[in-house]
Amino acid sequence: MIDPVRYLSNRSSGKMGYAIVKAALASRHEVVLVSGPVALSPSDGAEVVSVESAEDMYDAVAERIGGVDAAVMTAAVADYRPAKVSDDKIKKSGERLVLELERTRDILGSARDLMAFDGVLVGFAAETGNIEAYARGKLERKGCDFIVANDVSQEGIGFQSDQNEVTVFYRNGSSQHLPRASKKEIGESLVKIIEGVLVARRAGS
Ligand code: PMT
């Protein structure tokens, strides 16, 4: 929130995240969906935790992540929030208004160290260029098992669309391209990949 009537947000519709939830439920997994405000109805069967701010999402994830085998972070969480929320509606005055922003906490980046999560950790990377380099940087810094990168500058995929096209980057240096398909199909492929990582981890332990 900036003041009681205005807020900062972004173009994410929730479609990608909700498609993953649907695919996980169809594969008979138990699902906890922590969701920001979107205009979608969650599939029946998921435990739904509705949050508004990045801070609320951090707390909701921190509270629940200990009990899950895999955590998938699809949300386009704000990196910055207004440093001060005005109690009253900000009135028009002068030609410019400067908003001071401060960093939010990184939920995905806190999962390993601060939340002590040792399950399968999946991040997303929304990029507009240098996709592999930025995605691999996030994979490393945030301690993910793999990261799902999408080029959000491309027409018809990424934010709001019903389709996506992603590349999955793994810790061992390999990658897997999932060509343009419905978010439903991409969600199903990602759930299969997560199941494979879980099976491999269990076999290795
Ligand atoms: O919702 P749709 O309209 O269907 O669009 C789908 C999508 C484009 C939002 C989705 O495919 C996607 O790319 N999601 C990640 C968006 C994003 O915030 O990416 P990022 O590169 O800025 O963040 C990297 C990772 O860190 C993400 O997993 C993000 O959830 C996480 N993060 C970021 C900031 C923060 N404060 N906490 C986080 O956990």
Side-chain angles (χ1 to χ4, degrees):
M1 299 302 292
I2 297 171
D3 69 15
V5 297
R6 304 177 178 102
Y7 57 86
L8 292 177
S9 189
N10 61 59
R11 295 176 51 219
S12 173
S13 64
K15 285 181 184 173
M16 189 66 254
Y18 279 53
I20 297 169
V21 167
K22 197 169 189 175
L25 288 167
S27 295
R28 302 189 169 279
H29 297 286
E30 282 178 45
V31 180
V32 182
L33 165 64
V34 178
S35 174
V38 294
L40 301 173
S41 304
S43 309
D44 286 344
E47 177 192 339
V48 181
V49 183
S50 299
V51 297
E52 203 167 87
S53 67
E55 201 57 21
D56 293 343
M57 185 171 274
Y58 184 102
D59 291 340
V61 170
E63 209 172 291
R64 290 163 179 84
I65 198 168
V68 305
D69 295 318
V72 187
M73 309 253 185
T74 315
V77 189
D79 291 319
Y80 292 89
R81 65 169 165 239
K84 190 173 140 301
V85 181
S86 173
D87 289 336
D88 297 309
K89 184 180 172 195
I90 298 171
K91 298 311 252 182
K92 205 170 1 186
S93 71
E95 288 307 307
R96 291 166 75 91
L97 172 69
V98 177
L99 268 185
E100 194 187 345
L101 304 181
E102 63 184 14
R103 282 286 286 271
T104 55
R105 290 190 284 177
D106 188 326
I107 307 168
L108 178 62
S110 303
R112 292 289 188 220
D113 292 345
L114 297 176
M115 301 179 192
F117 179 62
D118 65 358
V120 176
L121 185 61
V122 180
F124 267 69
E127 309 295 350
T128 54
N130 284 329
I131 308 227
E132 175 158 7
Y134 287 138
R136 287 206 180 279
K138 286 173 186 173
L139 172 74
E140 206 52 51
R141 275 197 313 282
K142 303 190 186 211
C144 305
D145 285 86
F146 64 85
I147 199 142
V148 183
N150 39 199
D151 180 349
V152 293
S153 67
Q154 277 191 42
E155 279 285 305
I157 63 166
F159 288 112
Q160 293 173 346
S161 56
D162 291 324
Q163 294 193 315
N164 211 353
E165 176 179 339
V166 304
T167 305
V168 178
F169 294 99
Y170 296 95
R171 295 196 73 77
N172 65 4
S174 66
S175 65
Q176 183 179 358
H177 185 70
L178 302 182
R180 189 175 286 226
S182 66
K183 284 183 176 168
K184 176 177 181 288
E185 289 164 290
I186 299 280
E188 289 163 355
S189 300
L190 292 175
V191 167
K192 284 205 183 77
I193 292 172
I194 293 165
E195 289 169 345
V197 175
L198 270 169
V199 168
R201 271 178 165 236
R202 283 177 186 153
S205 63

